[in-house]
Amino acid sequence: MLNPTRSALFDHYLGISRLLAGQLDFNSIIQAVAVEIGHIIPHDHLDVCIKMIDGKYHIAYESGLETSWSQHPPALLSGSPIRSLLSGEVDHLLSGDACTDPRFHFDGAFSSPIIALSLHSRLHVPLRVQGDIIGALSCSSHRLNHYTMEDVENARSIADLLAPYFFALRAADQAKRSAVVETEARAREEGLRLGALKLTEALEAERQRIGMDLHDQTLADLTRLARRLERLTHLPDVPGETLEPVFRSLQHCMHDLRQIIEEAKPSVLQLFGVTEAIENHLERSVRETGGQIRCQVVDDSCTSLATLDQTVATALFRIVQEAINNAVRHGQPSEIVVNLQKVGSGLWVIVNDDGVGIGHPQEQVGHGIDNMRTRARLIGARFEIGCRPDGPGTQVKLWLPLGHPRQQPTGRT
């Protein structure tokens, strides 16, 4: 079997990570990464099956040979040839001849493509996110006894890279379906024309929010990793201890991506509201730095936050979350203060830090600030970022109308 060097493996894993960036559907991901995966695990057929949210159905996406697995609508999990893996009964499946392996052929199993295409050697590993199995990665070969446990371990590493993206895409699909159902209900109440318009707007807003949640921090980290690996390629000999930091950095990237997914629906926000969610995130962010940063949330919003629509509340929280993250990561502050202030018919949300400052806001680039601006626009709010007017540091200001305000007054700084 193919036994590439560790440096070559890292290069291919990094190639897979690069190819994942920007892919927005399951089929495009499989087609994009199939060649790189083939360098690690040679295959004649590659497929990924994804469990639906309800846990009863699954759907397949494949590359290489085309089978009836991907040509059918979502099928019952109970008929999958790898149901034991998808249910968690086994942690992998490895077969030297799947055409005769009874594990794949049972009463009601949809295993005919295995025999029809002579997919003798097969290996399957689960796709896991937050401890749950969301699907499986499968490689197949026409050759008998083609795969070993080494290939299984490599497949697990690939699955760790793919799983967070598939999880996010599955959540996006579910969100789109929910948005469609909700908007269609409104269309029946408000009229077909108005309902169709709101459907389009809701789907576009959902797409943008999901796109922003897949923040480009991981992509930036991977770019730095690529540069490090490029420098290593010029060395005549690369010892294992030199590659260890690269491996740890790659693991860190995967951890960051999982964190993005885990924060997709902040439970504190859902359970206790905006103020508590901001306090929780601020305290946790400061605590994780290990430094001595004073932090405070001043809530003079009266009952305004409690009456916000859930979508608006989530967007507001995300803007404050990004402002806090930027202050902690880049500002080197000794103090961060968040003010929530009801003024007239609107709400001011102001995040102040006393760090190194941001410079000229028009010169600032990066998805974080762009995401804050876009989120503000989507909820009809005005967004400002710049230097603090009363001292060193950065100030992020958000004016959110709570009705139809005639003016936007000056908020407390």
Side-chain angles (χ1 to χ4, degrees):
M1 285 304 303
L2 186 68
N3 186 22
T5 63
R6 291 182 66 189
S7 59
L9 277 176
F10 279 126
D11 191 42
H12 293 310
Y13 289 143
L14 189 59
I16 293 171
S17 299
R18 282 203 208 96
L19 292 168
L20 285 172
Q23 305 297 336
L24 298 178
D25 63 81
F26 294 105
N27 277 318
S28 64
I29 287 181
I30 294 300
Q31 302 305 321
V33 303
V35 173
E36 282 292 344
I37 292 177
H39 290 307
I40 303 172
I41 307 173
H43 57 267
D44 296 307
H45 178 262
L46 172 73
D47 74 86
V48 168
C49 75
I50 300 297
K51 293 166 64 175
M52 309 300 283
I53 297 293
D54 59 15
K56 296 180 180 178
Y57 291 84
H58 71 296
I59 189 166
Y61 305 90
E62 54 191 359
S63 173
L65 301 173
E66 188 173 313
T67 76
S68 52
W69 281 323
S70 64
Q71 297 170 2
H72 282 69
L76 282 170
L77 209 66
S78 57
S80 171
I82 58 170
R83 65 182 184 183
S84 60
L85 180 76
L86 294 173
S87 64
E89 294 178 24
V90 297
D91 64 357
H92 74 279
L93 284 171
L94 178 64
S95 178
D97 188 3
C99 293
T100 60
D101 193 326
R103 292 178 297 175
F104 301 101
H105 308 282
F106 48 83
D107 188 23
F110 184 18
S111 57
S112 55
I114 296 176
I115 298 174
L117 296 175
S118 300
L119 302 179
H120 291 291
S121 293
R122 303 202 81 202
L123 73 82
H124 312 266
V125 294
L127 297 167
R128 294 182 183 272
V129 175
Q130 301 174 357
D132 295 329
I133 297 175
I134 66 163
L137 170 68
S138 305
C139 294
S140 302
S141 172
H142 294 317
R143 297 172 56 186
L144 293 166
N145 301 309
H146 188 54
Y147 298 123
T148 67
M149 282 303 300
E150 182 180 355
D151 295 306
V152 171
E153 292 305 315
N154 289 335
R156 286 193 173 113
S157 297
I158 296 170
D160 284 341
L161 287 173
L162 299 178
Y165 273 86
F166 287 136
F167 180 88
L169 289 178
R170 188 181 69 167
D173 282 349
Q174 181 64 26
K176 289 179 181 179
R177 294 173 191 271
S178 299
V180 169
V181 171
E182 179 181 353
T183 308
E184 285 180 345
R186 291 179 181 176
R188 287 190 292 270
E189 296 173 358
E190 301 175 14
L192 182 60
R193 183 190 63 82
L194 181 59
L197 175 61
K198 288 185 176 293
L199 172 62
T200 303
E201 292 174 348
L203 288 176
E204 177 61 18
E206 194 66 33
R207 184 190 67 80
Q208 291 195 50
R209 283 194 295 271
I210 292 168
M212 288 185 296
D213 286 345
L214 295 175
H215 200 276
D216 78 330
Q217 180 62 45
T218 302
L219 182 58
D221 291 340
L222 290 174
T223 301
R224 287 191 290 271
L225 268 174
R227 291 171 181 164
R228 292 176 65 180
L229 285 174
E230 184 179 3
R231 289 194 295 269
L232 291 177
T233 59
H234 299 298
L235 298 177
D237 185 29
V238 182
E241 57 269 19
T242 303
L243 290 173
E244 281 301 320
V246 180
F247 178 63
R248 287 196 300 272
S249 297
L250 187 58
Q251 287 182 316
H252 180 69
C253 292
M254 294 161 58
H255 172 75
D256 284 349
L257 190 55
R258 290 193 183 98
Q259 285 295 108
I260 293 171
I261 294 170
E262 289 172 3
E263 294 174 359
K265 288 187 176 181
S267 58
V268 175
L269 174 61
Q270 294 173 332
L271 294 173
F272 302 108
V274 177
T275 304
E276 289 78 3
I278 292 173
E279 289 177 340
N280 179 270
H281 181 73
L282 179 58
E283 293 172 0
R284 181 162 55 87
S285 298
V286 168
R287 184 171 62 250
E288 289 175 354
T289 66
Q292 299 297 318
I293 302 177
R294 298 183 301 276
C295 60
Q296 183 182 12
V297 177
V298 181
D299 185 5
D300 295 325
S301 64
C302 302
T303 60
S304 301
L305 292 172
T307 60
L308 290 179
D309 179 83
Q310 184 62 42
T311 301
V312 176
T314 300
L316 190 152
F317 171 75
R318 292 297 188 198
I319 293 170
V320 177
Q321 181 184 48
E322 184 62 24
I324 293 171
N325 290 345
N326 286 344
V328 170
R329 293 172 183 167
H330 311 298
Q332 303 172 25
S334 61
E335 183 179 62
I336 302 174
V337 178
V338 180
N339 282 289
L340 308 168
Q341 182 184 12
K342 172 78 161 54
V343 178
S345 55
L347 180 70
W348 277 107
V349 179
I350 303 172
V351 182
N352 283 315
D353 72 72
D354 62 353
V356 297
I358 193 174
H360 200 281
Q362 276 70 35
E363 298 173 356
Q364 300 303 314
V365 295
H367 283 247
I369 295 177
D370 288 343
N371 287 352
M372 287 192 283
R373 288 194 178 99
T374 303
R375 289 187 194 279
R377 177 174 57 81
L378 290 174
I379 61 175
R382 190 185 76 187
F383 174 82
E384 300 174 14
I385 184 170
C387 297
R388 283 181 60 182
D390 58 344
T394 301
Q395 182 177 85
V396 173
K397 297 175 66 177
L398 184 80
W399 166 255
L400 177 66
L402 298 175
H404 300 283
R406 293 186 295 272
Q407 61 179 354
Q408 296 178 356
T410 300
R412 179 177 60 196
T413 59

